[in-house]
Amino acid sequence: MNPVNEMPSIMRLAADAARHAATRQATLSVNVANADTPGFRARDVAVFAPNAGDMPLRRTRPAHLGDGPTGIRSFETTDVPADPNGNTVDLEDQILRGIDAGRAHNRAVTVYRTALDIMRASLGRR
């Protein structure tokens, strides 16, 4: 029995959102670590899709949908110009993206904690 499947949907949604934010933060940290690596291309994670795992999708060819409906897909950022050495990591941009990922993680944890508090209150435990 998988405990994730036994969670109420709001808690599962919050756990998925926290996992997504953590993956994005890890991706951004790799970018920052390679800020001086010649030819390194910055990456980011696709926007969180809350119901991606609930609706079965059909793949018509192997490359369709990337990692599949439940995978977190990353992509190469193209909105930042490359340095003369071919590196596309802009530290200011990475810091702003990291702040956004941190806020998303905090929101997800707050939703999870609040749902847990509501469950405890409904059981008479506080």
Side-chain angles (χ1 to χ4, degrees), residues 59-99:
R59 293 178 98 166
T60 56
R61 59 184 182 275
H64 189 215
L65 301 177
D67 296 330
T70 59
I72 297 175
R73 292 174 282 177
S74 66
F75 60 91
E76 195 173 291
T77 56
T78 57
D79 55 347
V80 179
D83 287 342
N85 68 358
N87 188 307
T88 61
V89 177
D90 177 12
L91 289 177
E92 284 184 27
D93 179 58
Q94 296 303 305
I95 289 169
L96 293 175
R97 290 174 192 247
I99 290 169

PDB file of all heavy atoms in Angstrom, residues 59-99:
ATOM      1  N   ARG A  59       0.032   8.555 -25.197  1.00  0.00           N
ATOM      2  CA  ARG A  59       1.205   8.966 -25.959  1.00  0.00           C
ATOM      3  C   ARG A  59       1.084   8.410 -27.371  1.00  0.00           C
ATOM      4  O   ARG A  59       0.895   7.225 -27.564  1.00  0.00           O
ATOM      5  CB  ARG A  59       2.472   8.422 -25.312  1.00  0.00           C
ATOM      6  CG  ARG A  59       2.751   9.040 -23.965  1.00  0.00           C
ATOM      7  CD  ARG A  59       3.961   8.451 -23.367  1.00  0.00           C
ATOM      8  NE  ARG A  59       5.072   9.349 -23.626  1.00  0.00           N
ATOM      9  CZ  ARG A  59       6.227   9.269 -23.028  1.00  0.00           C
ATOM     10  NH1 ARG A  59       6.456   8.320 -22.162  1.00  0.00           N
ATOM     11  NH2 ARG A  59       7.172  10.122 -23.302  1.00  0.00           N
ATOM     12  N   THR A  60       1.206   9.284 -28.336  1.00  0.00           N
ATOM     13  CA  THR A  60       1.105   8.853 -29.718  1.00  0.00           C
ATOM     14  C   THR A  60       2.465   8.546 -30.332  1.00  0.00           C
ATOM     15  O   THR A  60       2.546   7.885 -31.350  1.00  0.00           O
ATOM     16  CB  THR A  60       0.402   9.934 -30.567  1.00  0.00           C
ATOM     17  OG1 THR A  60       1.125  11.158 -30.428  1.00  0.00           O
ATOM     18  CG2 THR A  60      -1.036  10.120 -30.107  1.00  0.00           C
ATOM     19  N   ARG A  61       3.534   9.041 -29.714  1.00  0.00           N
ATOM     20  CA  ARG A  61       4.893   8.725 -30.139  1.00  0.00           C
ATOM     21  C   ARG A  61       5.807   8.852 -28.917  1.00  0.00           C
ATOM     22  O   ARG A  61       5.479   9.549 -27.958  1.00  0.00           O
ATOM     23  CB  ARG A  61       5.339   9.625 -31.282  1.00  0.00           C
ATOM     24  CG  ARG A  61       5.329  11.095 -30.992  1.00  0.00           C
ATOM     25  CD  ARG A  61       5.704  11.897 -32.262  1.00  0.00           C
ATOM     26  NE  ARG A  61       5.736  13.294 -31.970  1.00  0.00           N
ATOM     27  CZ  ARG A  61       4.689  14.108 -31.973  1.00  0.00           C
ATOM     28  NH1 ARG A  61       3.507  13.636 -32.292  1.00  0.00           N
ATOM     29  NH2 ARG A  61       4.821  15.371 -31.672  1.00  0.00           N
ATOM     30  N   PRO A  62       6.964   8.209 -28.916  1.00  0.00           N
ATOM     31  CA  PRO A  62       7.816   8.175 -27.721  1.00  0.00           C
ATOM     32  C   PRO A  62       8.233   9.540 -27.193  1.00  0.00           C
ATOM     33  O   PRO A  62       8.316   9.731 -25.987  1.00  0.00           O
ATOM     34  CB  PRO A  62       9.036   7.382 -28.176  1.00  0.00           C
ATOM     35  CG  PRO A  62       8.562   6.572 -29.322  1.00  0.00           C
ATOM     36  CD  PRO A  62       7.488   7.374 -29.985  1.00  0.00           C
ATOM     37  N   ALA A  63       8.491  10.518 -28.050  1.00  0.00           N
ATOM     38  CA  ALA A  63       8.951  11.826 -27.590  1.00  0.00           C
ATOM     39  C   ALA A  63       7.819  12.716 -27.096  1.00  0.00           C
ATOM     40  O   ALA A  63       8.065  13.746 -26.494  1.00  0.00           O
ATOM     41  CB  ALA A  63       9.691  12.544 -28.714  1.00  0.00           C
ATOM     42  N   HIS A  64       6.576  12.304 -27.313  1.00  0.00           N
ATOM     43  CA  HIS A  64       5.426  13.093 -26.911  1.00  0.00           C
ATOM     44  C   HIS A  64       5.316  13.128 -25.390  1.00  0.00           C
ATOM     45  O   HIS A  64       5.450  12.124 -24.726  1.00  0.00           O
ATOM     46  CB  HIS A  64       4.160  12.472 -27.514  1.00  0.00           C
ATOM     47  CG  HIS A  64       2.948  13.317 -27.346  1.00  0.00           C
ATOM     48  ND1 HIS A  64       1.715  12.783 -27.137  1.00  0.00           N
ATOM     49  CD2 HIS A  64       2.773  14.657 -27.352  1.00  0.00           C
ATOM     50  CE1 HIS A  64       0.826  13.748 -27.023  1.00  0.00           C
ATOM     51  NE2 HIS A  64       1.449  14.895 -27.139  1.00  0.00           N
ATOM     52  N   LEU A  65       5.107  14.299 -24.803  1.00  0.00           N
ATOM     53  CA  LEU A  65       4.931  14.527 -23.378  1.00  0.00           C
ATOM     54  C   LEU A  65       6.205  14.390 -22.561  1.00  0.00           C
ATOM     55  O   LEU A  65       6.154  14.335 -21.351  1.00  0.00           O
ATOM     56  CB  LEU A  65       3.862  13.605 -22.791  1.00  0.00           C
ATOM     57  CG  LEU A  65       2.475  13.729 -23.391  1.00  0.00           C
ATOM     58  CD1 LEU A  65       1.547  12.712 -22.771  1.00  0.00           C
ATOM     59  CD2 LEU A  65       1.925  15.119 -23.168  1.00  0.00           C
ATOM     60  N   GLY A  66       7.349  14.316 -23.152  1.00  0.00           N
ATOM     61  CA  GLY A  66       8.606  14.309 -22.405  1.00  0.00           C
ATOM     62  C   GLY A  66       8.717  13.142 -21.454  1.00  0.00           C
ATOM     63  O   GLY A  66       8.707  11.995 -21.854  1.00  0.00           O
ATOM     64  N   ASP A  67       8.786  13.414 -20.137  1.00  0.00           N
ATOM     65  CA  ASP A  67       8.968  12.388 -19.127  1.00  0.00           C
ATOM     66  C   ASP A  67       7.674  11.669 -18.764  1.00  0.00           C
ATOM     67  O   ASP A  67       7.663  10.844 -17.878  1.00  0.00           O
ATOM     68  CB  ASP A  67       9.548  13.007 -17.856  1.00  0.00           C
ATOM     69  CG  ASP A  67      10.925  13.569 -18.082  1.00  0.00           C
ATOM     70  OD1 ASP A  67      11.660  13.051 -18.933  1.00  0.00           O
ATOM     71  OD2 ASP A  67      11.252  14.539 -17.389  1.00  0.00           O
ATOM     72  N   GLY A  68       6.594  11.976 -19.396  1.00  0.00           N
ATOM     73  CA  GLY A  68       5.331  11.349 -19.065  1.00  0.00           C
ATOM     74  C   GLY A  68       4.487  12.265 -18.193  1.00  0.00           C
ATOM     75  O   GLY A  68       4.938  13.290 -17.722  1.00  0.00           O
ATOM     76  N   PRO A  69       3.254  11.916 -17.943  1.00  0.00           N
ATOM     77  CA  PRO A  69       2.349  12.803 -17.240  1.00  0.00           C
ATOM     78  C   PRO A  69       2.724  13.049 -15.785  1.00  0.00           C
ATOM     79  O   PRO A  69       2.377  14.064 -15.229  1.00  0.00           O
ATOM     80  CB  PRO A  69       0.996  12.104 -17.356  1.00  0.00           C
ATOM     81  CG  PRO A  69       1.304  10.702 -17.695  1.00  0.00           C
ATOM     82  CD  PRO A  69       2.625  10.703 -18.393  1.00  0.00           C
ATOM     83  N   THR A  70       3.430  12.132 -15.124  1.00  0.00           N
ATOM     84  CA  THR A  70       3.749  12.335 -13.716  1.00  0.00           C
ATOM     85  C   THR A  70       5.161  12.850 -13.507  1.00  0.00           C
ATOM     86  O   THR A  70       5.512  13.214 -12.398  1.00  0.00           O
ATOM     87  CB  THR A  70       3.572  11.027 -12.929  1.00  0.00           C
ATOM     88  OG1 THR A  70       4.433  10.046 -13.498  1.00  0.00           O
ATOM     89  CG2 THR A  70       2.142  10.556 -12.967  1.00  0.00           C
ATOM     90  N   GLY A  71       5.986  12.902 -14.532  1.00  0.00           N
ATOM     91  CA  GLY A  71       7.360  13.371 -14.387  1.00  0.00           C
ATOM     92  C   GLY A  71       7.443  14.880 -14.373  1.00  0.00           C
ATOM     93  O   GLY A  71       6.610  15.568 -14.935  1.00  0.00           O
ATOM     94  N   ILE A  72       8.464  15.390 -13.699  1.00  0.00           N
ATOM     95  CA  ILE A  72       8.699  16.822 -13.686  1.00  0.00           C
ATOM     96  C   ILE A  72       9.693  17.102 -14.794  1.00  0.00           C
ATOM     97  O   ILE A  72      10.808  16.603 -14.772  1.00  0.00           O
ATOM     98  CB  ILE A  72       9.230  17.278 -12.313  1.00  0.00           C
ATOM     99  CG1 ILE A  72       8.182  17.000 -11.231  1.00  0.00           C
ATOM    100  CG2 ILE A  72       9.597  18.750 -12.346  1.00  0.00           C
ATOM    101  CD1 ILE A  72       8.651  17.295  -9.832  1.00  0.00           C
ATOM    102  N   ARG A  73       9.284  17.877 -15.772  1.00  0.00           N
ATOM    103  CA  ARG A  73      10.129  18.129 -16.939  1.00  0.00           C
ATOM    104  C   ARG A  73      10.892  19.437 -16.784  1.00  0.00           C
ATOM    105  O   ARG A  73      10.367  20.420 -16.304  1.00  0.00           O
ATOM    106  CB  ARG A  73       9.263  18.178 -18.194  1.00  0.00           C
ATOM    107  CG  ARG A  73       8.678  16.812 -18.529  1.00  0.00           C
ATOM    108  CD  ARG A  73       7.731  16.930 -19.658  1.00  0.00           C
ATOM    109  NE  ARG A  73       6.489  17.475 -19.074  1.00  0.00           N
ATOM    110  CZ  ARG A  73       5.426  17.771 -19.769  1.00  0.00           C
ATOM    111  NH1 ARG A  73       5.418  17.642 -21.055  1.00  0.00           N
ATOM    112  NH2 ARG A  73       4.351  18.235 -19.189  1.00  0.00           N
ATOM    113  N   SER A  74      12.142  19.400 -17.215  1.00  0.00           N
ATOM    114  CA  SER A  74      12.934  20.622 -17.208  1.00  0.00           C
ATOM    115  C   SER A  74      13.195  21.032 -18.654  1.00  0.00           C
ATOM    116  O   SER A  74      13.046  20.238 -19.575  1.00  0.00           O
ATOM    117  CB  SER A  74      14.251  20.419 -16.459  1.00  0.00           C
ATOM    118  OG  SER A  74      15.076  19.517 -17.134  1.00  0.00           O
ATOM    119  N   PHE A  75      13.581  22.274 -18.823  1.00  0.00           N
ATOM    120  CA  PHE A  75      13.847  22.797 -20.154  1.00  0.00           C
ATOM    121  C   PHE A  75      14.988  23.786 -20.080  1.00  0.00           C
ATOM    122  O   PHE A  75      15.306  24.325 -19.023  1.00  0.00           O
ATOM    123  CB  PHE A  75      12.592  23.462 -20.740  1.00  0.00           C
ATOM    124  CG  PHE A  75      12.096  24.618 -19.906  1.00  0.00           C
ATOM    125  CD1 PHE A  75      12.536  25.912 -20.153  1.00  0.00           C
ATOM    126  CD2 PHE A  75      11.206  24.419 -18.869  1.00  0.00           C
ATOM    127  CE1 PHE A  75      12.098  26.982 -19.394  1.00  0.00           C
ATOM    128  CE2 PHE A  75      10.749  25.483 -18.090  1.00  0.00           C
ATOM    129  CZ  PHE A  75      11.201  26.760 -18.359  1.00  0.00           C
ATOM    130  N   GLU A  76      15.606  24.023 -21.206  1.00  0.00           N
ATOM    131  CA  GLU A  76      16.684  24.996 -21.288  1.00  0.00           C
ATOM    132  C   GLU A  76      16.079  26.390 -21.381  1.00  0.00           C
ATOM    133  O   GLU A  76      15.190  26.632 -22.183  1.00  0.00           O
ATOM    134  CB  GLU A  76      17.526  24.703 -22.527  1.00  0.00           C
ATOM    135  CG  GLU A  76      18.847  25.390 -22.542  1.00  0.00           C
ATOM    136  CD  GLU A  76      19.700  24.915 -23.702  1.00  0.00           C
ATOM    137  OE1 GLU A  76      20.132  23.760 -23.671  1.00  0.00           O
ATOM    138  OE2 GLU A  76      19.887  25.715 -24.634  1.00  0.00           O
ATOM    139  N   THR A  77      16.558  27.310 -20.546  1.00  0.00           N
ATOM    140  CA  THR A  77      16.026  28.669 -20.591  1.00  0.00           C
ATOM    141  C   THR A  77      16.569  29.390 -21.815  1.00  0.00           C
ATOM    142  O   THR A  77      17.745  29.281 -22.138  1.00  0.00           O
ATOM    143  CB  THR A  77      16.390  29.462 -19.318  1.00  0.00           C
ATOM    144  OG1 THR A  77      17.793  29.456 -19.162  1.00  0.00           O
ATOM    145  CG2 THR A  77      15.741  28.859 -18.092  1.00  0.00           C
ATOM    146  N   THR A  78      15.699  30.101 -22.479  1.00  0.00           N
ATOM    147  CA  THR A  78      16.100  30.811 -23.693  1.00  0.00           C
ATOM    148  C   THR A  78      15.916  32.314 -23.574  1.00  0.00           C
ATOM    149  O   THR A  78      16.246  33.047 -24.496  1.00  0.00           O
ATOM    150  CB  THR A  78      15.273  30.314 -24.900  1.00  0.00           C
ATOM    151  OG1 THR A  78      13.886  30.505 -24.606  1.00  0.00           O
ATOM    152  CG2 THR A  78      15.547  28.844 -25.185  1.00  0.00           C
ATOM    153  N   ASP A  79      15.406  32.765 -22.432  1.00  0.00           N
ATOM    154  CA  ASP A  79      15.126  34.192 -22.270  1.00  0.00           C
ATOM    155  C   ASP A  79      16.326  34.989 -21.762  1.00  0.00           C
ATOM    156  O   ASP A  79      16.227  36.179 -21.551  1.00  0.00           O
ATOM    157  CB  ASP A  79      13.927  34.401 -21.353  1.00  0.00           C
ATOM    158  CG  ASP A  79      14.083  33.722 -19.994  1.00  0.00           C
ATOM    159  OD1 ASP A  79      15.001  32.897 -19.849  1.00  0.00           O
ATOM    160  OD2 ASP A  79      13.284  34.014 -19.096  1.00  0.00           O
ATOM    161  N   VAL A  80      17.476  34.334 -21.581  1.00  0.00           N
ATOM    162  CA  VAL A  80      18.678  34.996 -21.096  1.00  0.00           C
ATOM    163  C   VAL A  80      19.755  34.884 -22.180  1.00  0.00           C
ATOM    164  O   VAL A  80      20.029  33.793 -22.675  1.00  0.00           O
ATOM    165  CB  VAL A  80      19.180  34.335 -19.788  1.00  0.00           C
ATOM    166  CG1 VAL A  80      20.439  35.003 -19.296  1.00  0.00           C
ATOM    167  CG2 VAL A  80      18.094  34.390 -18.725  1.00  0.00           C
ATOM    168  N   PRO A  81      20.369  36.002 -22.578  1.00  0.00           N
ATOM    169  CA  PRO A  81      21.408  35.935 -23.611  1.00  0.00           C
ATOM    170  C   PRO A  81      22.663  35.230 -23.090  1.00  0.00           C
ATOM    171  O   PRO A  81      22.958  35.259 -21.892  1.00  0.00           O
ATOM    172  CB  PRO A  81      21.692  37.404 -23.934  1.00  0.00           C
ATOM    173  CG  PRO A  81      21.243  38.157 -22.735  1.00  0.00           C
ATOM    174  CD  PRO A  81      20.127  37.361 -22.113  1.00  0.00           C
ATOM    175  N   ALA A  82      23.401  34.613 -23.976  1.00  0.00           N
ATOM    176  CA  ALA A  82      24.620  33.891 -23.616  1.00  0.00           C
ATOM    177  C   ALA A  82      25.790  34.855 -23.459  1.00  0.00           C
ATOM    178  O   ALA A  82      25.878  35.873 -24.145  1.00  0.00           O
ATOM    179  CB  ALA A  82      24.942  32.846 -24.674  1.00  0.00           C
ATOM    180  N   ASP A  83      26.683  34.518 -22.536  1.00  0.00           N
ATOM    181  CA  ASP A  83      27.935  35.248 -22.379  1.00  0.00           C
ATOM    182  C   ASP A  83      28.841  34.916 -23.563  1.00  0.00           C
ATOM    183  O   ASP A  83      28.554  33.991 -24.336  1.00  0.00           O
ATOM    184  CB  ASP A  83      28.628  34.828 -21.077  1.00  0.00           C
ATOM    185  CG  ASP A  83      27.940  35.389 -19.843  1.00  0.00           C
ATOM    186  OD1 ASP A  83      27.170  36.356 -19.989  1.00  0.00           O
ATOM    187  OD2 ASP A  83      28.178  34.856 -18.745  1.00  0.00           O
ATOM    188  N   PRO A  84      29.952  35.639 -23.723  1.00  0.00           N
ATOM    189  CA  PRO A  84      30.878  35.317 -24.818  1.00  0.00           C
ATOM    190  C   PRO A  84      31.401  33.871 -24.778  1.00  0.00           C
ATOM    191  O   PRO A  84      31.722  33.296 -25.808  1.00  0.00           O
ATOM    192  CB  PRO A  84      32.024  36.309 -24.623  1.00  0.00           C
ATOM    193  CG  PRO A  84      31.399  37.474 -23.931  1.00  0.00           C
ATOM    194  CD  PRO A  84      30.346  36.879 -23.041  1.00  0.00           C
ATOM    195  N   ASN A  85      31.465  33.257 -23.572  1.00  0.00           N
ATOM    196  CA  ASN A  85      31.933  31.869 -23.476  1.00  0.00           C
ATOM    197  C   ASN A  85      30.811  30.853 -23.693  1.00  0.00           C
ATOM    198  O   ASN A  85      31.005  29.661 -23.550  1.00  0.00           O
ATOM    199  CB  ASN A  85      32.632  31.624 -22.138  1.00  0.00           C
ATOM    200  CG  ASN A  85      31.685  31.674 -20.956  1.00  0.00           C
ATOM    201  OD1 ASN A  85      30.494  31.934 -21.096  1.00  0.00           O
ATOM    202  ND2 ASN A  85      32.234  31.432 -19.782  1.00  0.00           N
ATOM    203  N   GLY A  86      29.596  31.315 -24.021  1.00  0.00           N
ATOM    204  CA  GLY A  86      28.471  30.423 -24.310  1.00  0.00           C
ATOM    205  C   GLY A  86      27.627  30.067 -23.099  1.00  0.00           C
ATOM    206  O   GLY A  86      26.657  29.332 -23.209  1.00  0.00           O
ATOM    207  N   ASN A  87      27.953  30.570 -21.921  1.00  0.00           N
ATOM    208  CA  ASN A  87      27.216  30.278 -20.700  1.00  0.00           C
ATOM    209  C   ASN A  87      25.966  31.168 -20.641  1.00  0.00           C
ATOM    210  O   ASN A  87      26.033  32.359 -20.906  1.00  0.00           O
ATOM    211  CB  ASN A  87      28.116  30.549 -19.484  1.00  0.00           C
ATOM    212  CG  ASN A  87      27.500  30.082 -18.193  1.00  0.00           C
ATOM    213  OD1 ASN A  87      26.387  30.437 -17.874  1.00  0.00           O
ATOM    214  ND2 ASN A  87      28.253  29.288 -17.458  1.00  0.00           N
ATOM    215  N   THR A  88      24.817  30.577 -20.275  1.00  0.00           N
ATOM    216  CA  THR A  88      23.568  31.344 -20.221  1.00  0.00           C
ATOM    217  C   THR A  88      23.070  31.577 -18.801  1.00  0.00           C
ATOM    218  O   THR A  88      21.917  31.960 -18.610  1.00  0.00           O
ATOM    219  CB  THR A  88      22.455  30.653 -21.031  1.00  0.00           C
ATOM    220  OG1 THR A  88      22.200  29.365 -20.467  1.00  0.00           O
ATOM    221  CG2 THR A  88      22.822  30.543 -22.495  1.00  0.00           C
ATOM    222  N   VAL A  89      23.906  31.337 -17.793  1.00  0.00           N
ATOM    223  CA  VAL A  89      23.482  31.528 -16.403  1.00  0.00           C
ATOM    224  C   VAL A  89      23.629  32.996 -16.018  1.00  0.00           C
ATOM    225  O   VAL A  89      24.722  33.551 -16.059  1.00  0.00           O
ATOM    226  CB  VAL A  89      24.308  30.636 -15.440  1.00  0.00           C
ATOM    227  CG1 VAL A  89      23.903  30.911 -14.002  1.00  0.00           C
ATOM    228  CG2 VAL A  89      24.128  29.171 -15.772  1.00  0.00           C
ATOM    229  N   ASP A  90      22.521  33.627 -15.658  1.00  0.00           N
ATOM    230  CA  ASP A  90      22.510  34.997 -15.137  1.00  0.00           C
ATOM    231  C   ASP A  90      22.187  34.877 -13.652  1.00  0.00           C
ATOM    232  O   ASP A  90      21.088  34.462 -13.277  1.00  0.00           O
ATOM    233  CB  ASP A  90      21.449  35.823 -15.863  1.00  0.00           C
ATOM    234  CG  ASP A  90      21.326  37.235 -15.330  1.00  0.00           C
ATOM    235  OD1 ASP A  90      22.201  37.668 -14.550  1.00  0.00           O
ATOM    236  OD2 ASP A  90      20.348  37.908 -15.684  1.00  0.00           O
ATOM    237  N   LEU A  91      23.146  35.214 -12.782  1.00  0.00           N
ATOM    238  CA  LEU A  91      22.970  35.001 -11.349  1.00  0.00           C
ATOM    239  C   LEU A  91      21.776  35.759 -10.779  1.00  0.00           C
ATOM    240  O   LEU A  91      21.059  35.231  -9.928  1.00  0.00           O
ATOM    241  CB  LEU A  91      24.255  35.348 -10.597  1.00  0.00           C
ATOM    242  CG  LEU A  91      25.401  34.359 -10.823  1.00  0.00           C
ATOM    243  CD1 LEU A  91      26.643  34.826 -10.097  1.00  0.00           C
ATOM    244  CD2 LEU A  91      25.006  32.970 -10.392  1.00  0.00           C
ATOM    245  N   GLU A  92      21.533  36.974 -11.230  1.00  0.00           N
ATOM    246  CA  GLU A  92      20.369  37.723 -10.744  1.00  0.00           C
ATOM    247  C   GLU A  92      19.069  36.992 -11.082  1.00  0.00           C
ATOM    248  O   GLU A  92      18.175  36.878 -10.250  1.00  0.00           O
ATOM    249  CB  GLU A  92      20.339  39.125 -11.353  1.00  0.00           C
ATOM    250  CG  GLU A  92      21.324  40.081 -10.741  1.00  0.00           C
ATOM    251  CD  GLU A  92      21.178  41.478 -11.330  1.00  0.00           C
ATOM    252  OE1 GLU A  92      20.074  41.830 -11.784  1.00  0.00           O
ATOM    253  OE2 GLU A  92      22.177  42.206 -11.327  1.00  0.00           O
ATOM    254  N   ASP A  93      18.989  36.499 -12.304  1.00  0.00           N
ATOM    255  CA  ASP A  93      17.813  35.756 -12.740  1.00  0.00           C
ATOM    256  C   ASP A  93      17.642  34.485 -11.914  1.00  0.00           C
ATOM    257  O   ASP A  93      16.528  34.150 -11.498  1.00  0.00           O
ATOM    258  CB  ASP A  93      17.940  35.417 -14.232  1.00  0.00           C
ATOM    259  CG  ASP A  93      16.765  34.633 -14.745  1.00  0.00           C
ATOM    260  OD1 ASP A  93      15.622  35.130 -14.637  1.00  0.00           O
ATOM    261  OD2 ASP A  93      16.985  33.506 -15.263  1.00  0.00           O
ATOM    262  N   GLN A  94      18.735  33.792 -11.637  1.00  0.00           N
ATOM    263  CA  GLN A  94      18.663  32.559 -10.861  1.00  0.00           C
ATOM    264  C   GLN A  94      18.225  32.843  -9.424  1.00  0.00           C
ATOM    265  O   GLN A  94      17.473  32.061  -8.835  1.00  0.00           O
ATOM    266  CB  GLN A  94      20.022  31.840 -10.872  1.00  0.00           C
ATOM    267  CG  GLN A  94      20.451  31.375 -12.246  1.00  0.00           C
ATOM    268  CD  GLN A  94      19.440  30.462 -12.896  1.00  0.00           C
ATOM    269  OE1 GLN A  94      19.059  29.440 -12.331  1.00  0.00           O
ATOM    270  NE2 GLN A  94      18.999  30.811 -14.099  1.00  0.00           N
ATOM    271  N   ILE A  95      18.677  33.953  -8.858  1.00  0.00           N
ATOM    272  CA  ILE A  95      18.263  34.324  -7.502  1.00  0.00           C
ATOM    273  C   ILE A  95      16.759  34.589  -7.466  1.00  0.00           C
ATOM    274  O   ILE A  95      16.051  34.114  -6.565  1.00  0.00           O
ATOM    275  CB  ILE A  95      19.054  35.545  -6.999  1.00  0.00           C
ATOM    276  CG1 ILE A  95      20.504  35.143  -6.726  1.00  0.00           C
ATOM    277  CG2 ILE A  95      18.417  36.148  -5.750  1.00  0.00           C
ATOM    278  CD1 ILE A  95      21.432  36.307  -6.467  1.00  0.00           C
ATOM    279  N   LEU A  96      16.248  35.319  -8.447  1.00  0.00           N
ATOM    280  CA  LEU A  96      14.809  35.598  -8.486  1.00  0.00           C
ATOM    281  C   LEU A  96      13.998  34.322  -8.671  1.00  0.00           C
ATOM    282  O   LEU A  96      12.953  34.142  -8.029  1.00  0.00           O
ATOM    283  CB  LEU A  96      14.502  36.596  -9.596  1.00  0.00           C
ATOM    284  CG  LEU A  96      15.053  38.008  -9.379  1.00  0.00           C
ATOM    285  CD1 LEU A  96      14.782  38.872 -10.607  1.00  0.00           C
ATOM    286  CD2 LEU A  96      14.461  38.636  -8.129  1.00  0.00           C
ATOM    287  N   ARG A  97      14.474  33.435  -9.528  1.00  0.00           N
ATOM    288  CA  ARG A  97      13.775  32.156  -9.717  1.00  0.00           C
ATOM    289  C   ARG A  97      13.833  31.314  -8.438  1.00  0.00           C
ATOM    290  O   ARG A  97      12.874  30.615  -8.102  1.00  0.00           O
ATOM    291  CB  ARG A  97      14.373  31.390 -10.893  1.00  0.00           C
ATOM    292  CG  ARG A  97      14.087  32.024 -12.237  1.00  0.00           C
ATOM    293  CD  ARG A  97      14.825  31.298 -13.365  1.00  0.00           C
ATOM    294  NE  ARG A  97      14.804  32.037 -14.590  1.00  0.00           N
ATOM    295  CZ  ARG A  97      14.165  31.646 -15.691  1.00  0.00           C
ATOM    296  NH1 ARG A  97      13.503  30.519 -15.708  1.00  0.00           N
ATOM    297  NH2 ARG A  97      14.202  32.386 -16.773  1.00  0.00           N
ATOM    298  N   GLY A  98      14.956  31.373  -7.738  1.00  0.00           N
ATOM    299  CA  GLY A  98      15.090  30.642  -6.479  1.00  0.00           C
ATOM    300  C   GLY A  98      14.151  31.168  -5.407  1.00  0.00           C
ATOM    301  O   GLY A  98      13.575  30.392  -4.633  1.00  0.00           O
ATOM    302  N   ILE A  99      14.001  32.483  -5.348  1.00  0.00           N
ATOM    303  CA  ILE A  99      13.052  33.078  -4.399  1.00  0.00           C
ATOM    304  C   ILE A  99      11.634  32.617  -4.724  1.00  0.00           C
ATOM    305  O   ILE A  99      10.868  32.260  -3.828  1.00  0.00           O
ATOM    306  CB  ILE A  99      13.164  34.616  -4.420  1.00  0.00           C
ATOM    307  CG1 ILE A  99      14.488  35.057  -3.799  1.00  0.00           C
ATOM    308  CG2 ILE A  99      11.981  35.265  -3.704  1.00  0.00           C
ATOM    309  CD1 ILE A  99      14.807  36.527  -3.997  1.00  0.00           C
TER     310      ILE A  99
END
